[in-house]
Amino acid sequence: MNSSHEFMNSEFFQPGIKALWDFHELDDFNISTDDMKRFVYYLQSVISNRDDHFRVAMLVNKDVAYGLSRMFQMYCNVDMVETKVFNRIEEAENWLTM
């Protein structure tokens, strides 16, 4: 959470930013539902203070990572954050460039 906070408050976090979160090599996806909700609420609080929109492509290759990413996608259902889950990096990159 600290590194996310630092990034979102830096000059690199610009309006319209597009991000690729690559979880495809992650073996241990140990996150609780409460932790995920806390991160989503934090993300929403940071974004609500800004007048921008951003996209996040999540790259996964394991069923548990896919399920958790879809859960994040549902929790993060706000107008300023657009998320989508992918199994192939080419599809994620194409979606981010649309």
Side-chain angles (χ1 to χ4, degrees):
M1 186 85 88
N2 288 337
S3 59
S4 297
H5 177 74
E6 290 171 13
F7 174 71
M8 290 179 187
N9 289 297
S10 75
E11 71 274 6
F12 299 109
F13 191 69
Q14 297 295 318
I17 194 166
K18 298 173 183 177
L20 174 64
W21 294 352
D22 186 351
F23 300 121
H24 85 276
E25 290 186 17
L26 195 62
D27 289 328
D28 185 16
F29 215 96
N30 188 14
I31 183 169
S32 72
T33 303
D34 288 340
D35 289 339
M36 186 179 301
K37 286 179 182 177
R38 274 193 291 276
F39 180 69
V40 169
Y41 294 143
Y42 167 74
L43 185 60
Q44 290 170 339
S45 72
V46 169
I47 293 168
S48 69
N49 295 327
R50 304 167 61 103
D51 186 26
D52 58 8
H53 172 269
F54 75 99
R55 256 183 176 190
V56 177
M58 294 173 276
L59 182 63
V60 301
N61 72 344
K62 293 185 174 53
D63 289 343
V64 68
Y66 182 84
L68 288 169
S69 296
R70 291 285 291 138
M71 186 185 314
F72 174 83
Q73 187 179 25
M74 290 185 332
Y75 287 143
C76 201
N77 187 19
V78 294
D79 291 336
M80 294 178 285
V81 182
E82 188 177 359
T83 61
K84 195 163 181 181
V85 183
F86 297 91
N87 293 5
R88 296 184 42 221
I89 193 164
E90 298 84 9
E91 293 173 355
E93 290 172 340
N94 286 338
W95 181 75
L96 287 171
T97 59
M98 292 178 16

